[in-house]
Amino acid sequence: MTTLTPTPQKLAPPGRRRERRAAELEARTRTVAERLGAIAAQPTAHVLKEYGVDRDGLCQSEVLDRQERHGLNTVAQDRAPRWYVQLAKAYANPFIAVLVFLAAVMYWQDPADPGVIILSVMVGISGLLRFWQEFRSGRAADALKQLVTTTTAVQRRAGGGALGTTVEVPMDQVVPGDVVKLGAGDLIPADLRLIGAKDLMVSQASLSGESLPVAKADVRAGEDNRSAAPGGDPVEAGNLCLMGTSVTSGTATGVVVATGADTYFGSMAGSLVGERPQTNFDNGVRKVSFLLIRFMLVMVPVVFAINGITKGDWNEAFLFAIAVAVGLTPEMLPMVVSANLARGAVAMSKKKVVVKRLNAIQNLGAMDVLCTDKTGTLTEDRIVLDRYLDVHGSEDNEVLEYGYLNAHFQTGLRNLMDQAVIDRVNEAEEVVVDARFTMVDEIPFDFARRRMSVVLNRNGLLGGAGRPEHVLITKGAVEEVLSLCTHMKDRGERVELTDQLRWHVTRTAEDNNRQGLRVLAVATRTMPTARDTYTVADESGLTLVGFLAFLDPPKADAAAALRGLADKGIAVKVVTGDNELVAARVCADVGIEVGTVVTGPEADALDDAALRRLAATTTVFAKVNPVQKARIVRALQSDGHTVGFLGDGINDAAALRDADVGISVDTAVDIAKESADIILLEKDLTVLEQGVVQGRTTFGNTIKYIKMTASSNFGNVFSVLVASAFIPFQPMLAIMLLVQNLVYDIAQLATPWDRMDEDYLRKPRNWDAKGIGRFMVTIGPISSIFDIAMFVIMWHVFGANSEANQALFQSGWFIEGLLSQTLIVHMIRTRKIPFIQSRATWPVMVMTVLAVATGLFLPFSPLAATIGFVPVPMGYFPLADRRAAGVLHADAAGEGLVHPPLQHLAVATRHERPRPPVLYDGRPGPFAHRPLRPALPDRFLVPEPVPSGVRPSRRTLSVVLQTRPTRADRDGRRRRPSRTHIPGTRANRRGPW
C-alpha cells in the first residue's frame, strides 16, 4: 500500500510565511493529485490487491491494525486554544504592555499610589472584554459543528473466512482498504476508488465549485475521455469519489484509498493550521499603537529633563514624567476597542451573523473588494429547467412533455435535473399524462452511454379513436443522443436528419451551452406493442424532438444586494471553480459587468506582478483551484486592497484564511467554517451589507476615541512642557493628571454606543496612522494656546503666581482642561453642526454631562484635599466657559470643520422682505452699524441680523469672527471683534471674549 510522503518542490524564501505556506499547500496538493491519478488508472483488481482487501471488506483485526498505522480518519483543524491561552492572548497588546510597565514603575515608587489600582483596573477590564466575546463566539461556532454526527456504511467481516456484512461506523473510524457502500444523500467519508456503481451522481461543489452534479462509475481512467489520467485533477476522475463530496443519486461501492491527512481534502487542510496572516486591522492597530508610543518616548524625557532642571527635584520630576507618560497613553484604548468590537459582535448576532474573531468586524468595514463564490451566493444553489426548445431554439411544449414523461416514469433515483423537469409541470398536467401513458420498460442510465430511456404504452384515446403503441423516450447528453438520431421533428413534421441539419441542431445546443446552460437532448421512437422487454439495441433510429436547458438560477435579491455593496464602495469579484460560460451567464444576470473571464490556468501562467495588474481589472475568475483562489486574494491585497472572501467549500478554505476577513455560512464544510472569521447563518449578501455598515460604525467610533484622546492628551502634555519652563511649580500634580484622564476616559466608554453620520458609512475606512499623527500635532498645540491663555489668567487675574497658591492654579487648569476635553468630543465626532444637524446618542450625552459635573464638583468635594484641589472663585467660571468655547471653535478650525457648518448655516432669514447678505457689528462702539471685512472667504458671508420691529426666528447664534483691521485700526484705534448673528441657531450670551 502506498503511503503519502509529500515533499514540496519549490518553496518561498524563509521568513515570507504566507508565501511559504501557499507553496507548501500547492506542493502537497499536487503530490496527492498525482497519487490519486495513478490509482484511477489502475484496474479494479489491481487496486483491491494493493490494499489487501476483497469485496467482502476487512476483518476486525485488520481494521485495528490499520487504525494504529494510519490513525483516525480526521483532517488537521484549527482548534480553539484553551481558555487560559485565549485569556493570555487577549492581553497581547502594545498599549497594555505600556500600561503594565507604568503601573509597575508607579508601584515601585509608591505602593499606595491610587494610580496603580486605576491602571490595573483599565488593563483588567480591557482584556476580559475581548476574551469573553471571542470565547463565547468560538463556542457558538463549535456548537454549529456539533449539530450533526455522521456515520457511513462499510463492509466488514467478523473473521478471516466469514462473509462481509454492512455496518454503520463513525466516519473517523474508516481505514484504508475499507469497502464503503454509498447511497443518495451520503457524504463521501474518504477518498474512494469505485469498484461498482449504478446511476451514481456526485455533487462536487465543495471541491470544484461546479453547481451541477457529475456522473461517476467504476470505469478505469483512459477507458473514456472524462476520466483523469495520472497526474491530472482527481476531481475530474470519473472513478474517484473524494472526501467532502456527497452523493445526490444512485448507488455505488468503493474501496478507501486514502484517509485523513492523506486525502485530497486533507492535503489542503494540513496547510491551513497554525498562525493566521496579519490582517488590515492588525497592521492598523500596530501602526497607530507605535505612533503613540513614539510620541510618548519623545515627550516624556523632555518633560523629565525640563522639570528636573527648572525645579531641582529630580525624584518629583521623575514621578511627574511617569504621570505625563500615563497622560499621553490612551489608557482606555484597548478597552474602548474591545468594547466597540464586542458591541458590534452582539449587534451582528441579532442579524444572524456569528463573529468568531472580533478584529474581523473592523476588517469588514474596511473591505473594499469582496471575492465570492457563485453557487449559493449569487445563485439559489438548485437546478431549474430554464428552457425547453425545439431543434431551431424556439420554445416547444412537446419537448417539455416528452422530458417530463422520461423523468416521471423512470424507476431509478431521480437526479436534480429530472426533478427540475417534474417541478416545471403542474399537477393538472400530471394527471392527464398519467391517464394517457403506462410504464412498459426502462433502459437505465449508465456512465458509458450517458443517457437513459423509458418505454411507455400510449393508451388508445377515449372513444376508440386511436390505437395503442409503444413510445421509447430517450434523454441524455447531446452528443450521445444525437448520434442515435436519423430524423428530427421540424414544426410538427418528421424529417430526415441530414448532415446540414445535424450541424444546425448541434449549433443550437452549443449556443445554449455558451450561455451557461446545461443542455440535454430528447428523442423518441414509436414501435408496435409486440413485446414488453427492450434493450440498449432498441435505442436507434430515434427522432430528435428538442433540448432541455438547465441552470442554477440567480437569487431574486442578488442584483439589489450587489448594488448595495457598490453604493458602499465595495467591488465584487466572482472567483469560482465552475466553468467560464456558467460564471459569465450568472454574473451578467445579476448585473455584474463581466468583461474578460480569466481562468485558473491563465492566472497560473502569470507572475505575481502581472497577476496583480490583471486582478485589478478582472471581475470574473473561473475554473480556479484552491491555490489559485488564495493567490488571487493575495494579489489584490498586495495592490493595497482590504479583501473579503465569501465561500463555503473545501476549495475556499485557503482563500478564506488569507483574506483580511473570511466569511462562510453555517451550512459550509467544517474546514471552511474554521478558516472563516465570520459565519453567516443565512447565505445572503444583504446580511453581509448590514455587517459592513456595522463594521464601519465600529471602526468610526474607535477612531473617534483615538483622535479625541490622543489630541487632547498631546495638547495637555504640550501645555505642561511650556508651563514647566516658566512656572516655578508643576502646573498640575501627577495624581490630578491621572484623575483628569480617568474621568475623561470613563466618559468615552459610551463611544461604542454612538452613531456615525450616513456620509461616513458610504465608503470603506482604513487605519491612517499618519493622519492621526497630523491630527495630534495640529489640534494639540491649538488647544495648548488656550491652555497658556488660562495660565496667564490664573497667574495675573486670580493671583495663582506662587508656590503657596499653586493649588488654585492647578485646580483651575484641571477644571478648564476637563471641560474642553469633554465638550470637544461633540465637535470631533461629526462633520456636521453638533447638537443641531448631528446629535450624539443619549449614552454619550449622559456621560458628557456626568464628566462635566464631576470636573466641576471635585474641587469642592470632600476628596479635594486628598487630591490637592482647592475651591476656585465664582468669577472663574465665566472665563472658563469662554475659554472652552474658544477651544471648540479653534479645534474645529484646525480640523477643517468650521467651514462646512457655516455653509449650512448661511441660509435666508425669515424676514418680511429680503436683505443683502452683509456682516453686521451689533455691539456699541465707534464701529457699530458698519459692514465689516471678514477673514473668511466671501462664500461664508451670512445674512444681516433681523432689524428691530421684525419678529426673528426663535433660534439665532452669535459667532465671534476674527476681522482684518481697517485703515482706522492701523492708525491706532483698537477694534473689537465683531458679533455676527447667524439665523437658524440658538442665541449665545453676550460677554467678553
Side-chain angles (χ1 to χ4, degrees):
M1 189 187 324
T2 306
T3 303
L4 179 65
T5 54
T7 54
Q9 299 177 7
K10 183 179 179 182
L11 299 179
R16 299 178 61 185
R17 182 176 301 168
R18 189 163 66 167
E19 288 78 4
R20 184 179 178 86
R21 188 181 294 274
E24 290 174 350
L25 171 61
E26 183 176 4
R28 183 177 178 85
T29 304
R30 182 173 55 249
T31 302
V32 173
E34 291 172 354
R35 177 174 171 270
L36 291 173
I39 293 173
Q42 295 173 0
T44 300
H46 184 84
V47 174
L48 292 174
K49 181 179 179 181
E50 180 181 357
Y51 283 86
V53 66
D54 57 31
R55 293 178 182 270
D56 286 326
L58 301 171
C59 65
Q60 192 59 32
S61 60
E62 292 173 321
V63 171
L64 294 176
D65 177 63
R66 297 185 188 205
Q67 280 183 348
E68 186 175 348
R69 279 190 287 151
H70 298 280
L72 294 177
N73 181 33
T74 57
V75 297
Q77 298 179 353
D78 249 345
R79 302 188 182 277
R82 300 278 187 178
W83 68 267
Y84 47 82
V85 176
Q86 280 186 288
L87 182 61
K89 287 184 176 180
Y91 289 94
N93 181 287
F95 270 115
I96 288 181
V98 171
L99 293 177
V100 169
F101 171 75
L102 295 177
V105 172
M106 295 172 71
Y107 181 81
W108 174 65
Q109 287 288 326
D110 182 8
D113 192 335
V116 177
I117 298 176
I118 294 171
L119 292 180
S120 300
V121 170
M122 291 177 180
V123 170
I125 294 176
S126 171
L128 288 175
L129 271 174
R130 175 177 288 270
F131 161 73
W132 174 244
Q133 185 59 44
E134 291 195 348
F135 180 73
R136 187 175 63 175
S137 297
R139 293 185 63 182
D142 289 339
L144 290 175
K145 294 191 296 181
Q146 301 300 326
L147 292 178
V148 179
T149 301
T150 309
T151 61
T152 189
V154 299
Q155 195 84 347
R156 294 274 173 89
R157 292 182 289 119
L163 296 177
T165 57
T166 302
V167 295
E168 292 284 334
V169 300
M171 289 181 65
D172 62 357
Q173 300 296 316
V174 173
V175 298
D178 258 330
V179 176
V180 177
K181 301 286 188 179
L182 299 175
D186 286 348
L187 290 175
I188 310 297
D191 287 351
L192 307 180
R193 165 64 158 83
L194 294 178
I195 59 176
K198 180 180 180 181
D199 303 341
L200 182 65
M201 301 293 289
V202 177
S203 172
Q204 300 186 135
S206 62
L207 281 176
S208 68
E210 187 173 357
S211 55
L212 292 172
V214 296
K216 298 280 186 176
D218 53 335
V219 178
R220 182 172 141 193
E223 293 178 4
D224 74 299
N225 58 8
R226 288 168 293 101
S227 294
D233 186 355
V235 179
E236 302 295 331
N239 58 4
L240 294 179
C241 291
L242 302 181
M243 185 183 202
T245 60
S246 60
V247 178
T248 59
S249 63
T251 58
T253 303
V255 60
V256 176
V257 296
T259 60
D262 291 341
T263 62
Y264 189 66
F265 175 14
S267 70
M268 302 180 202
S271 301
L272 299 176
V273 295
E275 187 177 350
R276 300 175 69 87
Q278 292 288 302
T279 66
N280 174 275
F281 178 90
D282 302 320
N283 293 329
V285 168
R286 186 182 69 253
K287 289 178 181 178
V288 171
S289 298
F290 285 108
L291 168 74
L292 299 178
I293 290 173
R294 283 196 299 271
F295 270 102
M296 184 180 68
L297 292 177
V298 171
M299 296 295 292
V300 170
V302 174
V303 171
F304 171 68
I306 292 177
N307 267 277
I309 293 172
T310 57
K311 311 298 186 298
D313 188 343
W314 290 96
N315 187 55
E316 187 66 23
F318 178 76
L319 289 177
F320 190 70
I322 294 297
V324 167
V326 174
L328 268 176
T329 306
E331 305 93 339
M332 292 288 192
L333 179 59
M335 185 187 299
V336 168
V337 170
S338 297
N340 259 311
L341 297 175
R343 183 177 181 274
V346 171
M348 292 176 71
S349 69
K350 297 176 182 177
K351 298 173 182 176
K352 299 184 179 180
V353 178
V354 176
V355 180
K356 287 179 57 185
R357 297 176 181 85
L358 287 183
N359 294 354
I361 297 177
Q362 189 276 322
N363 288 331
L364 195 60
M367 178 178 67
D368 60 347
V369 174
L370 173 65
C371 297
T372 177
D373 192 13
K374 169 187 65 66
T375 305
T377 305
L378 302 179
T379 67
E380 296 180 3
D381 198 12
R382 66 186 182 92
I383 302 302
V384 299
L385 177 62
D386 185 63
R387 303 172 186 176
Y388 35 95
L389 310 172
D390 64 14
V391 293
H392 301 294
S394 301
E395 188 171 301
D396 189 344
N397 287 327
E398 186 180 16
V399 179
L400 175 60
E401 179 180 331
Y402 281 120
Y404 169 78
L405 290 170
N406 178 281
H408 177 71
F409 282 102
Q410 65 170 291
T411 59
L413 291 170
R414 297 190 182 104
N415 61 35
L416 296 178
M417 286 177 286
D418 291 327
Q419 192 60 49
V421 174
I422 292 172
D423 291 342
R424 189 61 182 262
V425 179
N426 60 48
E427 293 181 4
E429 292 173 330
E430 290 180 19
V431 173
V432 174
V433 169
D434 288 342
R436 292 174 55 199
F437 296 91
T438 55
M439 181 73 173
V440 176
D441 198 8
E442 177 181 13
I443 307 173
F445 178 91
D446 67 60
F447 185 72
R449 290 167 45 247
R450 297 173 66 198
R451 63 183 183 271
M452 69 86 54
S453 301
V454 295
V455 182
L456 307 178
N457 182 62
R458 191 195 304 270
N459 300 325
L461 298 178
L462 296 177
R467 61 181 181 82
E469 61 183 3
H470 287 178
V471 181
L472 182 145
I473 305 172
T474 301
K475 172 171 60 59
V478 173
E479 300 86 349
E480 276 72 8
V481 173
L482 194 57
S483 67
L484 303 173
C485 293
T486 58
H487 293 76
M488 74 176 193
K489 278 285 188 73
D490 185 2
R491 299 175 178 86
E493 298 293 330
R494 183 172 181 266
V495 300
E496 185 179 355
L497 189 60
T498 63
D499 290 342
Q500 183 176 0
L501 290 176
R502 190 179 298 274
W503 175 84
H504 173 74
V505 297
T506 301
R507 183 168 181 177
T508 300
E510 290 174 348
D511 287 344
N512 284 276
N513 278 326
R514 280 193 290 269
Q515 295 177 46
L517 299 170
R518 175 79 170 269
V519 181
L520 299 180
V522 179
T524 65
R525 178 184 176 188
T526 301
M527 295 170 289
T529 59
R531 55 196 173 102
D532 295 330
T533 303
Y534 293 84
T535 65
V536 173
D538 294 307
E539 293 178 325
S540 61
L542 303 182
T543 299
L544 180 67
V545 178
F547 305 102
L548 301 173
F550 304 84
L551 84 161
D552 182 4
K555 286 184 175 179
D557 59 351
L562 289 172
R563 285 194 299 271
L565 290 173
D567 290 342
K568 296 294 186 295
I570 300 173
V572 176
K573 296 181 183 291
V574 176
V575 184
T576 179
D578 212 342
N579 71 70
E580 56 269 34
L581 298 176
V582 174
R585 162 67 187 269
V586 171
C587 291
D589 285 348
V590 297
I592 295 177
E593 187 176 343
V594 177
T596 301
V597 179
V598 176
T599 63
E602 292 171 346
D604 261 348
L606 303 175
D607 59 23
D608 290 343
L611 181 60
R612 183 172 65 249
R613 292 191 297 270
L614 181 67
T617 58
T618 302
T619 305
V620 182
F621 296 87
K623 277 292 180 185
V624 290
N625 63 33
V627 175
Q628 293 160 352
K629 286 187 177 185
R631 188 167 174 238
I632 290 168
V633 167
R634 295 195 300 272
L636 291 166
Q637 289 173 324
S638 66
D639 206 24
H641 296 289
T642 301
V643 182
F645 192 94
L646 174 59
D648 61 354
I650 299 166
N651 58 341
D652 297 320
L656 285 167
R657 189 178 181 88
D658 279 348
D660 291 292
V661 53
I663 309 160
S664 192
V665 293
D666 65 330
T667 55
V669 297
D670 285 349
I671 187 175
K673 288 188 285 190
E674 286 166 7
S675 300
D677 305 300
I678 291 175
I679 298 176
L680 307 180
L681 300 185
E682 293 181 358
K683 198 170 184 181
D684 187 355
L685 290 177
T686 304
V687 175
L688 188 58
E689 182 187 352
Q690 296 170 352
V692 168
V693 172
Q694 186 63 52
R696 291 179 186 176
T697 301
T698 299
F699 175 73
N701 285 332
T702 303
I703 290 297
K704 282 180 194 176
Y705 172 79
I706 294 176
K707 280 188 172 183
M708 293 182 295
T709 305
S711 60
S712 296
N713 290 357
F714 181 73
N716 285 344
V717 173
F718 193 82
S719 301
V720 167
L721 187 62
V722 174
S724 298
F726 301 102
I727 298 176
F729 50 83
Q730 292 181 357
M732 191 182 296
L733 297 180
I735 185 63
M736 293 178 181
L737 196 59
L738 194 59
V739 169
Q740 186 185 64
N741 281 350
L742 180 62
V743 173
Y744 173 75
D745 285 339
I746 290 176
Q748 302 318 305
L749 287 179
T751 302
W753 283 265
D754 197 11
R755 65 174 65 92
M756 297 300 302
D757 295 335
E758 286 295 326
D759 294 344
Y760 185 89
L761 301 175
R762 286 177 184 159
K763 62 180 181 178
R765 302 289 174 174
N766 272 301
W767 294 91
D768 181 11
K770 292 182 179 179
I772 293 174
R774 287 193 298 270
F775 189 90
M776 286 176 59
V777 298
T778 301
I779 301 300
I782 288 176
S783 62
S784 293
I785 294 173
F786 292 88
D787 284 335
I788 295 170
M790 178 55 67
F791 295 163
V792 173
I793 292 173
M794 295 301 298
W795 187 276
H796 292 288
V797 177
F798 296 103
N801 49 16
S802 64
E803 292 191 20
N805 293 321
Q806 66 174 326
L808 177 60
F809 185 99
Q810 294 160 349
S811 300
W813 188 36
F814 172 87
I815 295 174
E816 177 274 327
L818 185 57
L819 286 178
S820 59
Q821 271 186 294
T822 306
L823 293 175
I824 199 176
V825 167
H826 297 274
M827 295 295 295
I828 295 178
R829 64 166 295 278
T830 180
R831 287 186 172 270
K832 298 181 179 179
I833 303 174
F835 306 110
I836 298 174
Q837 291 182 325
S838 178
R839 293 186 181 89
T841 55
W842 70 264
V844 176
M845 300 290 284
V846 169
M847 294 302 289
T848 298
V849 172
L850 290 177
V852 171
T854 301
L856 296 175
F857 172 72
L858 278 176
F860 301 91
S861 71
L863 296 174
T866 304
I867 301 174
F869 291 132
V870 296
V872 296
M874 291 298 105
Y876 162 86
F877 292 103
L879 293 176
D881 178 49
R882 297 302 184 275
R883 187 268 175 192
V887 171
L888 294 181
H889 287 296
D891 283 350
E895 196 192 4
L897 300 180
V898 166
H899 289 184
L902 283 179
Q903 283 179 305
H904 290 301
L905 284 173
V907 295
T909 307
R910 285 177 268 177
H911 291 175
E912 293 182 356
R913 56 187 176 84
R915 290 179 173 270
V918 295
L919 285 175
Y920 178 75
D921 183 7
R923 295 180 57 133
F927 302 103
H929 308 290
R930 177 185 299 176
L932 303 177
R933 297 173 57 198
L936 295 175
D938 291 342
R939 65 178 182 276
F940 299 120
L941 296 181
V942 296
E944 183 182 359
V946 182
S948 59
V950 177
R951 182 178 178 85
S953 170
R954 293 184 61 187
R955 297 185 300 166
T956 59
L957 169 69
S958 297
V959 179
V960 177
L961 299 173
Q962 296 290 342
T963 61
R964 299 175 183 172
T966 63
R967 181 174 301 173
D969 297 324
R970 290 194 292 269
D971 289 342
R973 287 177 289 178
R974 297 192 67 176
R975 179 182 191 138
R976 298 177 181 176
S978 68
R979 181 168 297 276
T980 303
H981 293 278
I982 301 180
T985 55
R986 193 175 304 279
N988 196 6
R989 297 191 303 272
R990 293 185 179 275
W993 170 271

